[in-house]
Amino acid sequence: QQQVKQSPQSLIVQKGGISIINCAYENTAFDYFPWYQQFPGKGPALLIAIRPDVSEKKEGRFTISFNKSAKQFSLHIMDSQPGDSATYFCAASSKTGANNLFFGTGTRLTVIP
Amino acid sequence: SQTIHQWPATLVQPVGSPLSLECTVEGTSNPNLYWYRQAAGRGLQLLFYSVGIGQISSEVPQNLSASRPQDRQFILSSKKLLLSDSGFYLCAWTLAGGTYEQYFGPGTRLTVT
């Protein structure tokens, strides 16, 4: 069973537009929600992360919005650039176990110049 | 600062041959270590994780095994490769004892022919 559900599977955005990727989870024990960016042939790189005590976190053009009651969180990429074209993964983990991350299935973002 | 290394970067092996992939982490002690596999265009599948030397947990029964002979060394092995073992293998580490950032290595591209 997929612990973290991610949508859309692919996304095409014009340069300068806003890219929005959504994730949902069921396990209320999750207390850490990172987003990863992966370019072809490279390992995923940690982009931004949030904990459930805040509803939003912003780093540059990247913002995570977190809705604890709905058990949803999303990544917003403002002023999207062609260099942002990559696959994005959301994930979640809890203090139980070995800090294992449960990943979404990924979103392939293409930013058109 | 911490760094994570994986080698080899690419590998082409015939069916039935053995496999050994190595991962090492620098700049930290007693990390949690992880092996993931990523099929082409797909998400991340957790294969093994380790919370200490000699302590290995398997997430998916398969043709692979893992070992942790030293604190910052994690090895993925197989006695006889299958075609289905082809993929992008990623090692990752995180601090133990809570929910913390997980960092990935550069990956090993394995092609079984």
Side-chain angles (χ1 to χ4, degrees):
Chain A
Q1 182 182 2
Q2 191 74 27
Q3 296 240 15
V4 178
K5 296 182 180 179
Q6 183 172 347
S7 62
Q9 188 174 2
S10 62
L11 181 62
I12 299 174
V13 173
Q14 293 280 351
K15 178 183 176 182
I18 302 173
S19 304
I20 301 175
I21 305 171
N22 301 299
C23 285
Y25 65 97
E26 287 297 326
N27 188 347
T28 55
F30 287 150
D31 66 349
Y32 175 68
F33 303 88
W35 285 89
Y36 286 83
Q37 179 189 58
Q38 186 180 29
F39 294 104
K42 306 293 185 182
L46 180 62
L47 190 62
I48 187 173
I50 197 168
R51 295 189 185 271
D53 53 341
V54 296
S55 59
E56 185 175 281
K57 183 174 182 180
K58 183 176 181 179
E59 290 184 3
R61 296 185 294 108
F62 300 91
T63 300
I64 299 179
S65 296
F66 185 81
N67 186 329
K68 188 174 181 178
S69 60
K71 293 184 285 187
Q72 296 175 348
F73 58 110
S74 59
L75 176 69
H76 296 236
I77 306 175
M78 311 299 288
D79 187 27
S80 298
Q81 300 296 313
D84 297 330
S85 297
T87 299
Y88 292 82
F89 292 95
C90 63
S93 69
S94 70
K95 289 186 175 68
T96 58
N99 192 19
N100 293 357
L101 281 173
F102 295 90
F103 282 89
T105 49
T107 297
R108 180 173 292 183
L109 171 65
T110 303
V111 182
I112 300 172
Chain B
S1 64
Q2 300 88 4
T3 55
I4 179 169
H5 303 279
Q6 287 187 244
W7 62 88
T10 60
L11 192 59
V12 180
Q13 292 283 94
V15 168
S17 64
L19 173 73
S20 181
L21 304 181
E22 189 166 344
C23 169
T24 59
V25 180
E26 297 177 353
T28 188
S29 297
N30 194 33
N32 289 350
L33 297 172
Y34 308 83
W35 278 112
Y36 293 85
R37 177 170 58 201
Q38 187 174 33
R42 304 293 296 275
L44 295 151
Q45 179 187 33
L46 179 64
L47 302 175
F48 301 95
Y49 66 91
S50 171
V51 299
I53 296 174
Q55 299 179 63
I56 309 295
S57 296
S58 173
E59 288 294 298
V60 181
Q62 59 213 324
N63 186 41
L64 303 170
S65 62
S67 62
R68 184 170 177 175
Q70 300 180 43
D71 180 44
R72 289 168 288 179
Q73 184 185 31
F74 206 21
I75 296 173
L76 184 69
S77 303
S78 174
K79 292 182 178 178
K80 290 185 178 181
L81 284 168
L82 306 173
L83 285 174
S84 58
D85 292 325
S86 294
F88 192 45
Y89 287 83
L90 292 155
C91 181
W93 75 274
T94 188
L95 292 173
T99 48
Y100 302 105
E101 294 83 358
Q102 192 169 124
Y103 297 99
F104 285 81
T108 295
R109 173 75 60 193
L110 171 66
T111 303
V112 182
T113 60

